[in-house]
Short mmCIF file of all heavy atoms in Angstrom, two decimals:
data_model
loop_
_atom_site.label_atom_id
_atom_site.label_comp_id
_atom_site.label_asym_id
_atom_site.label_seq_id
_atom_site.Cartn_x
_atom_site.Cartn_y
_atom_site.Cartn_z
N SER D 316 -10.09 -24.29 30.77
CA SER D 316 -10.87 -25.41 31.27
C SER D 316 -11.12 -25.27 32.76
O SER D 316 -12.17 -25.61 33.27
CB SER D 316 -10.14 -26.73 31.02
OG SER D 316 -9.85 -26.85 29.66
N ALA D 317 -10.10 -24.79 33.46
CA ALA D 317 -10.21 -24.63 34.91
C ALA D 317 -9.91 -23.18 35.25
O ALA D 317 -9.01 -22.57 34.68
CB ALA D 317 -9.23 -25.55 35.62
N SER D 318 -10.66 -22.65 36.17
CA SER D 318 -10.47 -21.26 36.56
C SER D 318 -9.38 -21.16 37.60
O SER D 318 -9.59 -21.46 38.77
CB SER D 318 -11.79 -20.70 37.10
OG SER D 318 -11.62 -19.36 37.46
N HIS D 319 -8.18 -20.76 37.16
CA HIS D 319 -7.08 -20.62 38.10
C HIS D 319 -6.99 -19.20 38.65
O HIS D 319 -6.38 -18.96 39.66
CB HIS D 319 -5.75 -21.04 37.46
CG HIS D 319 -5.34 -20.19 36.31
ND1 HIS D 319 -5.95 -20.26 35.07
CD2 HIS D 319 -4.40 -19.23 36.21
CE1 HIS D 319 -5.38 -19.40 34.26
NE2 HIS D 319 -4.45 -18.75 34.91
N ARG D 320 -7.60 -18.26 37.96
CA ARG D 320 -7.70 -16.88 38.42
C ARG D 320 -8.87 -16.24 37.69
O ARG D 320 -9.22 -16.64 36.58
CB ARG D 320 -6.41 -16.11 38.19
CG ARG D 320 -6.11 -15.79 36.75
CD ARG D 320 -4.91 -14.84 36.64
NE ARG D 320 -4.62 -14.53 35.27
CZ ARG D 320 -5.21 -13.57 34.56
NH1 ARG D 320 -6.14 -12.84 35.11
NH2 ARG D 320 -4.88 -13.33 33.31
N PRO D 321 -9.45 -15.21 38.27
CA PRO D 321 -10.58 -14.56 37.59
C PRO D 321 -10.11 -13.81 36.35
O PRO D 321 -8.99 -13.29 36.31
CB PRO D 321 -11.14 -13.60 38.65
CG PRO D 321 -10.04 -13.40 39.63
CD PRO D 321 -9.18 -14.63 39.58
N PHE D 322 -10.94 -13.77 35.34
CA PHE D 322 -10.68 -13.00 34.13
C PHE D 322 -11.19 -11.59 34.40
O PHE D 322 -12.38 -11.38 34.60
CB PHE D 322 -11.39 -13.63 32.93
CG PHE D 322 -11.03 -12.99 31.62
CD1 PHE D 322 -9.82 -13.27 31.01
CD2 PHE D 322 -11.90 -12.10 31.00
CE1 PHE D 322 -9.48 -12.68 29.79
CE2 PHE D 322 -11.57 -11.50 29.79
CZ PHE D 322 -10.35 -11.80 29.19
N LEU D 323 -10.28 -10.64 34.41
CA LEU D 323 -10.61 -9.27 34.80
C LEU D 323 -10.88 -8.38 33.58
O LEU D 323 -10.52 -8.72 32.46
CB LEU D 323 -9.47 -8.68 35.62
CG LEU D 323 -9.07 -9.49 36.86
CD1 LEU D 323 -7.80 -8.92 37.47
CD2 LEU D 323 -10.20 -9.51 37.87
N LYS D 324 -11.46 -7.23 33.86
CA LYS D 324 -11.73 -6.26 32.80
C LYS D 324 -10.44 -5.86 32.09
O LYS D 324 -10.42 -5.72 30.87
CB LYS D 324 -12.42 -5.03 33.40
CG LYS D 324 -12.81 -4.00 32.38
CD LYS D 324 -13.52 -2.82 33.02
CE LYS D 324 -13.87 -1.79 31.95
NZ LYS D 324 -14.51 -0.62 32.53
N ILE D 325 -9.36 -5.72 32.84
CA ILE D 325 -8.08 -5.34 32.22
C ILE D 325 -7.60 -6.44 31.27
O ILE D 325 -7.00 -6.14 30.23
CB ILE D 325 -7.00 -5.01 33.30
CG1 ILE D 325 -5.73 -4.44 32.66
CG2 ILE D 325 -6.64 -6.24 34.12
CD1 ILE D 325 -5.88 -3.06 32.14
N ASP D 326 -7.89 -7.70 31.58
CA ASP D 326 -7.53 -8.80 30.68
C ASP D 326 -8.24 -8.64 29.34
O ASP D 326 -7.65 -8.83 28.28
CB ASP D 326 -7.90 -10.15 31.30
CG ASP D 326 -7.10 -10.48 32.55
OD1 ASP D 326 -5.88 -10.25 32.55
OD2 ASP D 326 -7.71 -10.98 33.51
N LEU D 327 -9.53 -8.30 29.41
CA LEU D 327 -10.31 -8.10 28.18
C LEU D 327 -9.77 -6.92 27.39
O LEU D 327 -9.62 -7.00 26.17
CB LEU D 327 -11.79 -7.90 28.51
CG LEU D 327 -12.70 -7.68 27.30
CD1 LEU D 327 -12.65 -8.88 26.35
CD2 LEU D 327 -14.13 -7.40 27.75
N GLU D 328 -9.45 -5.84 28.08
CA GLU D 328 -8.91 -4.66 27.39
C GLU D 328 -7.59 -5.00 26.69
O GLU D 328 -7.36 -4.58 25.55
CB GLU D 328 -8.71 -3.51 28.38
CG GLU D 328 -10.01 -2.92 28.88
CD GLU D 328 -9.82 -1.92 30.02
OE1 GLU D 328 -8.66 -1.58 30.36
OE2 GLU D 328 -10.84 -1.48 30.58
N ILE D 329 -6.74 -5.75 27.36
CA ILE D 329 -5.46 -6.15 26.78
C ILE D 329 -5.69 -7.04 25.56
O ILE D 329 -5.07 -6.86 24.51
CB ILE D 329 -4.59 -6.88 27.83
CG1 ILE D 329 -4.19 -5.93 28.96
CG2 ILE D 329 -3.38 -7.53 27.19
CD1 ILE D 329 -3.22 -4.85 28.60
N LEU D 330 -6.60 -8.00 25.68
CA LEU D 330 -6.89 -8.90 24.57
C LEU D 330 -7.49 -8.13 23.38
O LEU D 330 -7.16 -8.41 22.23
CB LEU D 330 -7.83 -10.02 25.03
CG LEU D 330 -7.98 -11.21 24.10
CD1 LEU D 330 -6.62 -11.88 23.81
CD2 LEU D 330 -8.93 -12.24 24.70
N GLU D 331 -8.33 -7.16 23.66
CA GLU D 331 -8.91 -6.35 22.58
C GLU D 331 -7.84 -5.50 21.89
O GLU D 331 -7.86 -5.35 20.67
CB GLU D 331 -10.03 -5.46 23.13
CG GLU D 331 -11.28 -6.23 23.48
CD GLU D 331 -12.35 -5.39 24.15
OE1 GLU D 331 -12.03 -4.37 24.79
OE2 GLU D 331 -13.53 -5.78 24.04
N ARG D 332 -6.90 -4.96 22.65
CA ARG D 332 -5.80 -4.20 22.05
C ARG D 332 -4.95 -5.12 21.16
O ARG D 332 -4.53 -4.74 20.08
CB ARG D 332 -4.93 -3.57 23.12
CG ARG D 332 -5.57 -2.41 23.82
CD ARG D 332 -4.65 -1.82 24.84
NE ARG D 332 -5.32 -0.82 25.65
CZ ARG D 332 -4.73 -0.13 26.61
NH1 ARG D 332 -3.45 -0.32 26.87
NH2 ARG D 332 -5.42 0.75 27.29
N PHE D 333 -4.71 -6.31 21.67
CA PHE D 333 -3.95 -7.30 20.90
C PHE D 333 -4.69 -7.62 19.59
O PHE D 333 -4.07 -7.73 18.53
CB PHE D 333 -3.75 -8.57 21.73
CG PHE D 333 -3.09 -9.68 20.98
CD1 PHE D 333 -1.73 -9.64 20.71
CD2 PHE D 333 -3.83 -10.76 20.54
CE1 PHE D 333 -1.11 -10.67 20.01
CE2 PHE D 333 -3.22 -11.79 19.83
CZ PHE D 333 -1.85 -11.75 19.58
N ALA D 334 -6.01 -7.74 19.66
CA ALA D 334 -6.81 -8.06 18.48
C ALA D 334 -6.69 -6.96 17.42
O ALA D 334 -6.70 -7.26 16.22
CB ALA D 334 -8.27 -8.28 18.87
#
Side-chain angles (χ1 to χ4, degrees):
S316 305
S318 181
H319 64 286
R320 71 172 180 85
F322 187 77
L323 304 171
K324 183 179 179 182
I325 188 72
D326 294 317
L327 180 60
E328 290 171 6
I329 294 290
L330 194 57
E331 288 174 334
R332 288 181 188 181
F333 175 75

